[in-house]
Amino acid sequence: MQAVMMSLEPSTTFAYKLPAEHRAFVHVVSGRVAASGRNLVTGHTAWSDPVPDAEGDSALSFVTPSGDGKTRLMIYSGTPIGEPVAFGGPFVMNHRSEIRQAFADFHAGKFGEVPRRARLAYDR
């Protein structure tokens, strides 16, 4: 697994190498970028799939436009584990029933003391 925070200056072209067997996602924290040809802006997320039968590394290409401020990206990648994935709110599990249980545990206080600022989004 790899996790990277990246800042790119305007008018930058950059190739980010990662193992060919990795699935990756890129989240734009701020700015604009063309990620392997797909135009993304702040808040957008794009996924890549592994490159079958490739040897060595593959690369994600990033191009930032001129005239903007820095572009900040989060890039996560890893080898797929072949398990089902379910997500809801801040939780990621294998099955929807586990998501429901995580919410029940959270609301029952089983996660320990949660600071008030962190709870604001969940107090409804």
Side-chain angles (χ1 to χ4, degrees):
M1 173 150 229
Q2 296 180 162
V4 173
M5 286 291 296
M6 181 183 300
S7 292
L8 298 173
E9 296 290 336
S11 302
T12 297
T13 299
F14 182 75
Y16 177 72
K17 292 184 178 179
L18 67 155
E21 68 272 8
H22 278 203
R23 171 170 285 132
F25 78 83
V26 176
H27 179 76
V28 182
V29 176
S30 63
R32 298 183 300 151
V33 67
S36 295
R38 184 172 176 196
N39 292 322
L40 305 171
V41 297
T42 300
H44 284 183
T45 302
W47 292 85
S48 77
D49 286 321
V51 180
D53 304 322
E55 293 187 24
D57 292 335
S58 63
L60 298 173
S61 64
F62 298 106
V63 179
T64 56
S66 62
D68 285 358
K70 287 184 182 180
T71 296
R72 294 183 53 221
L73 308 171
M74 290 189 316
I75 306 167
Y76 290 89
S77 73
T79 305
I81 59 175
E83 293 183 8
V85 176
F87 60 91
F91 303 113
V92 178
M93 304 289 190
N94 294 113
H95 303 284
R96 297 294 306 160
S97 61
E98 293 170 321
I99 298 291
R100 287 189 294 276
Q101 185 62 53
F103 272 108
D105 290 347
F106 174 76
H107 289 292
K110 294 181 181 179
F111 282 37
E113 184 64 29
V114 178
R116 176 74 183 143
R117 291 191 81 194
R119 287 195 324 253
L120 290 176
Y122 303 102
D123 284 348
R124 293 192 177 141

